[in-house]
Amino acid sequence: MFPTPVEKIAAPWRWGYKLAVPIVLILWLLPLLGVMMTSIRPASDLAQGNYFGVPSTIALGNYLEVFANTPMGTYIWNSFKVTIPTVIGAVALSCLTGFALAVYKFKSNLLVFFMFVAGNFVPFQILMVPVRDLTLNMGLYDTSMGLVLFHIAFQTGFCTLFMRNFIKALPFELIEAARVEGVSELKIFWFIVLPLMRPAIAALSVLIFTFIWNDYFWATVLVQGSHALPVTAGIFSLNGQWVAQWQLVSAGSIVAAMPPVIMFFLMQKHFIAGLTLGATKG
Amino acid sequence: MSDSILSPNVERTAGGNAQAASTTTRWLVNQRRLAPLLFLAPGALMFIIYVIAPIAQSIWVSFYEWDGIGAKTFIGLANYVELLDDEAFYVSLKNNVIWLVMYMLAVPAGLLMAIFLNQTITGIRIYKSLFFFPFVISQIVVGLIFSWFYAPNFGLFTQLLSFLGFGDVAVLADETYVTYGIIIAGLWPQIAYCMILYLTGLNNVSPDQIEAARLDGAKGWKMLWYVIIPQLRPATFIAVVVTVIGALRSFDLVSIMTDGGPWGSSRVLSFYMYEQALSEYGFRMGYGASIAVVLFAIMMVFISIFIVRMLKDEREGY
């Protein structure tokens, strides 16, 4: 193991290390902690210049105010309406594409694969004008559905890369044995490969959930009205209304960040496994 | 699709039972030729409609003058000629270069943090996930957090500066510092991302090699440089890829923290393109598309390098 495990070094250094970790952590998260403190600070504290001291009272009212006076509830709901169908769609499509590219040998295999990989890296702006136009023409501008369709298509790129590499690492003998038995390709996919893909499906689902929840660019390009605005774009417009009301900005930010944070802590193992795929082999 | 689909094991099955096997084999072969096409069709179709075709369409639109609603007028290279004399374009381009260079700091910083945290003390798992936290949060929220951090007069950062005797600096309102201020906000989640890649990498470094190197007297920096870092190559590759792409994609932070200001000094190409094509300044789709094409060309240089490298790995893998 590198560096040398602290258990093997002199006691004072070991204790020094154990003390240093939480201190560094607090410094690292300082901006976030500051915002968390601000979100429970009453407006009167801020008016009196009490920005960093102990809040005079714990004003959970800031959170109530965010929900009562703004469409925050709708924004959150809209985010779910975009995120969940996208996760299902992108994961489903990429199970199929990943299977096709991992299991079959055909001439254009690598070409198709690298089309997905390269497309996944392009700047969003090169897609913006045509995708907005397409969405307008389909009558889906300013709807959750318009966003969902684009996100599914775009995320299929990354998901295909992920699924294809995952299936490639599975023991191919399983598929060969089934073929010798005369099992059809569809059944091989459904009964043999798909059950083995569960960890990959879980990892991709949490990742895509976070990516889509946090998307801001497409939300502003394809949606206008608050009836369909996801929370990232919603908080942007609220930020304009809440000039210098930092207690509300902070409370709103924390609410908007919550769902992916909860998702991350619940599914941590899958999340990290998804994110670091490829970081170990090569 | 092609004959190469015939995998060796098909012929092997056909070898045994003469007549019956040959009909099954024909069916199997046809099925195996069709199957990849059918499995690929839905995903590939969506991807072509929403990603591949729009790239071509954008390049085409960049030769037109278009307000997004009315008729398009073909103007040849006029949009690109206009770019050459556009001060704002050069500011954005320069900022993109600054982003790219500064953002790369996330890679060594992430490695340092991973080395710092690669221990097994009690509670280290919780520590690691808390250090990773900034990556899970939306960039919009990161932007708001840092706007508060930099806020003039009372922001934590501003207070720190005046405590150290630098006077009151409003980072986000200052043309000299604003881009750096935004990049630092962007580095926060990016370092966390690189850290997690390296933590996984460190986990897989071969213990035998470390032991062998220790016996040879290697330690500290020498061990890191000659033994550990070479073994972390896959992690480094991914860290560089995601950091380059992240730097060139930067949009959210600029949009929420400064809206490109003050006086357009924090614009990047992605933001300037959006401003030209879709904001209150007017709907200049053609001009916007030409900016996007330039950004795309820059990105293609990097994408090609990545693809060539991945292709090489792929070939060696067989």
Side-chain angles (χ1 to χ4, degrees), chain A residues 1-7 17-18 20-22 24-25 28-32 34-35 38 51-52 93 96-97 99-101 104-108 110 112-135 138 146 149-150 152-154 156-157 161 164 168 176 179-180 184-186 189 210-211 214 216-217 220-221 232 235-236 239 246 249 253 256-257 260-261 264-265 268 271-272 275-282, chain B residues 1-2 4-5 7 9 13 28 31-32 35-36 39-40 42-44 46-52 54-55 57-58 66 68 113 115-121 124-125 127 129-138 140-141 144-149 154-156 159 188 191-193 196-197 200-202 204 210 214 220 223-224 228 234-235 238 241 245 249 251-252 255-256 270 273-274 277-278 283 285 292-293 295-296 299 303 306-307 310-311 313-315 318:
Chain A
M1 195 167 156
F2 182 85
T4 312
V6 285
E7 288 83 3
Y17 176 77
K18 286 187 182 174
V21 174
V24 175
L25 177 66
W28 178 243
L29 293 181
L30 205 59
L32 180 66
V35 163
T38 309
Y51 290 108
F52 303 108
L93 286 184
L96 301 174
T97 52
F99 178 77
L101 292 173
Y104 301 96
K105 286 187 183 137
F106 50 95
K107 261 186 201 151
S108 47
L110 273 186
V112 176
F113 177 60
F114 281 110
M115 173 193 85
F116 281 116
V117 176
N120 171 52
F121 289 141
V122 301
F124 295 147
Q125 284 71 25
I126 193 89
L127 313 178
M128 188 185 101
V129 171
V131 167
R132 184 175 173 276
D133 216 34
L134 177 67
T135 310
M138 290 194 297
L149 283 180
F150 171 76
I152 290 180
F154 191 79
T156 299
L161 163 69
R164 181 262 193 188
K168 243 193 149 113
E176 273 180 17
R179 280 187 182 157
V180 172
S184 76
E185 299 298 310
L186 189 65
F189 169 72
T210 313
F211 291 166
N214 291 341
Y216 162 74
F217 181 74
T220 59
V221 170
T232 43
I235 198 120
F236 179 85
N239 186 42
W246 283 102
V249 176
S253 304
V261 167
F264 167 66
F265 277 103
Q268 214 185 108
F271 192 99
I272 307 255
L275 213 52
T276 56
L277 177 97
T280 55
K281 59 170 199 270
Chain B
M1 290 208 164
S2 82
S4 58
I5 217 165
S7 55
N9 51 312
T13 34
L28 274 179
Q31 189 196 2
R32 222 165 287 168
F39 279 116
L40 269 177
M46 285 282 278
F47 201 73
I48 287 168
I49 292 172
Y50 270 105
V51 183
I52 305 299
I55 295 174
Q57 285 167 299
S58 274
W66 187 37
M113 273 183 58
I115 290 172
F116 177 65
L117 286 175
N118 194 31
Q119 293 289 350
T120 46
I121 60 167
I124 195 74
R125 268 198 52 187
Y127 281 127
S129 27
L130 287 172
F131 270 100
F132 182 63
F133 212 83
F135 182 74
V136 185
I137 307 171
S138 152
I140 289 300
V141 174
L144 287 173
I145 290 175
F146 271 82
S147 304
W148 175 87
F149 191 62
F154 68 88
L156 210 52
Q159 297 246 323
W188 195 45
I191 291 173
Y193 191 178
I196 213 81
L197 289 170
T200 315
L202 281 173
N204 286 282
I210 296 179
R214 280 213 174 106
M223 171 82 98
L224 179 66
I228 308 297
I238 298 188
V241 172
I245 302 293
R249 273 208 182 142
F251 174 90
D252 299 9
S255 172
I256 187 119
S270 61
M273 183 275 166
Y274 175 81
L278 270 191
F283 279 45
M285 300 283 179
V293 169
L295 181 61
F296 176 69
M299 223 119 147
I303 296 174
F306 302 151
I307 298 275
M310 286 174 79
L311 203 62
D313 286 350
E314 196 67 35
R315 294 257 157 80
Y318 279 111

Side-chain angles (χ1 to χ4, degrees), chain B residues 11 40-41 80 110 121 129 226-227 265:
Chain B
E11 284 139 292
L40 269 177
Y80 293 95
I121 60 167
S129 27
Y226 292 107
V227 182
S265 58

Side-chain angles (χ1 to χ4, degrees), chain A residues 20 36 84 94 148 159 191 195 214 218 237-238 245:
Chain A
M36 282 166 107
I84 292 181
S94 61
V148 167
C159 295
F191 292 108
N214 291 341
W218 291 104
S237 72
L238 289 179
Q245 285 182 286

